Amino acid sequence: MKKKGHINTYFLMLLPALVLFIAFNTIPLITGAFYSFTNYRGYGSYDFVGLRNYIDLFGDSKVGGSYLFTFKYAIVGTVLVNIISLILALGLNSKIKFKSLLRGIYFIPNILSGLIVGFIFGFLFTYIIPAAASHLL
């Protein structure tokens, strides 16, 4: 049997996230959509202009060129990333002579950051902290 108090608890736990979502996402979205149908410049008064802003926007050749470039960039970028990823995956899992070297080259960026942090903390614990402690004591 479910207790009715659990529903109130879940609602109270959801309430802060819901308030933040409405305050920082939904209200600005609705406000922006409303202002897109006006000639509002961010200050002063405004008049309702209807779809004129959208007609001007899509009638501009620079905007059309921007959309076309973005579309081409997204398609080419997605295809290239997938092709390169597939080639790397095949290389890392194939039976080639330099498979271990290829795996090492592939994973070096992941290891270097931890290695550098380790060197920094090693330096701090070996030289800096003992020197600071000797001055304080």
Side-chain angles (χ1 to χ4, degrees):
M1 181 191 309
K2 287 188 175 183
K3 295 181 181 178
K4 192 167 181 136
H6 289 297
I7 294 172
N8 293 336
T9 304
Y10 294 144
F11 181 72
L12 289 175
M13 291 171 61
L14 177 70
L15 192 61
L18 189 63
V19 168
L20 289 173
F21 180 79
I22 289 171
F24 292 108
N25 190 342
T26 307
I27 292 174
L29 178 76
I30 293 169
T31 306
F34 172 75
Y35 284 138
S36 73
F37 295 106
T38 66
N39 63 354
Y40 188 57
R41 296 179 185 256
Y43 59 89
S45 63
Y46 57 87
D47 295 318
F48 187 76
V49 294
L51 294 174
R52 190 178 75 199
N53 290 334
Y54 292 102
I55 293 169
D56 292 344
L57 178 73
F58 291 116
D60 189 1
S61 64
K62 290 182 182 178
V63 173
S66 300
Y67 282 132
L68 185 62
F69 174 77
T70 303
F71 184 71
K72 287 179 185 177
Y73 182 78
I75 296 298
V76 170
T78 303
V79 170
L80 281 178
V81 164
N82 284 317
I83 289 173
I84 292 170
S85 299
L86 179 63
I87 291 170
L88 277 172
L90 289 173
L92 290 173
N93 291 317
S94 65
K95 295 182 180 186
I96 59 175
K97 194 173 193 177
F98 299 106
K99 179 172 73 171
S100 297
L101 177 68
L102 184 60
R103 286 182 177 177
I105 291 170
Y106 182 75
F107 287 112
I108 280 176
N110 294 329
I111 295 174
L112 280 179
S113 61
L115 185 66
I116 290 170
V117 169
F119 279 136
I120 291 171
F121 275 101
F123 179 78
L124 286 173
F125 289 136
T126 303
Y127 298 108
I128 305 298
I129 292 177
S134 68
H135 285 20
L136 292 175
L137 299 176

